Amino acid sequence: MGYARLVATAVWVIYGGPLAYLLGRLLRRRPNRWLHRCVFATLGAAVGASSSALFLAPLLAEGAPWPLELIVPATVCAAICVWGGWEFTSSRAHRRDLDPAVQRFGDDEAAEDAAVDRISRVEEPPPPES
């Protein structure tokens, strides 16, 4: 069980942080804060459910039934924690954006925004020629 706990933690330390960063970057220009909240709560739920399943994998391999009384609370707790982390980080970012002494966008951020705009822009096909 101890090794399963280490594996579950390592998986989400390695993948969870960069995934949250990528989601934050992709959603940065979307003004709907509830969309952000739902996405990050879903990420937290995925982290909680999958890490619980990884942690309990040795028990499940022995034929034990799925212990939902352990997985569901971990899933809910992780969803709330990731959502709370987003709220904290978002409020810090908004305060920084309001500070006139802080440069709003650097060259890298402007290039990232332009790339995301190109990728996310849905171009309509040209009208058919008659």
Side-chain angles (χ1 to χ4, degrees), residues 25 41 51-52 57 71 81 96 114 119:
R25 287 303 229 184
S51 61
S52 296
I71 294 175
C81 289
R96 190 189 73 194
I119 291 169

Side-chain angles (χ1 to χ4, degrees), residues 57-124:
L59 290 176
L60 301 174
E62 295 174 2
W66 278 92
L68 291 179
E69 63 274 358
L70 297 175
I71 294 175
V72 171
T75 301
V76 171
C77 183
I80 292 170
C81 289
V82 172
W83 180 9
W86 177 83
E87 290 287 347
F88 175 75
T89 305
S90 173
S91 66
R92 285 183 53 204
H94 284 289
R95 279 195 306 268
R96 190 189 73 194
D97 288 348
L98 294 175
D99 186 2
V102 176
Q103 181 182 359
R104 176 70 172 104
F105 288 109
D107 294 337
D108 291 339
E109 291 173 321
E112 285 177 5
D113 284 346
V116 168
D117 286 343
R118 281 193 305 272
I119 291 169
S120 63
R121 189 177 317 132
V122 177
E123 296 182 16
E124 295 183 20

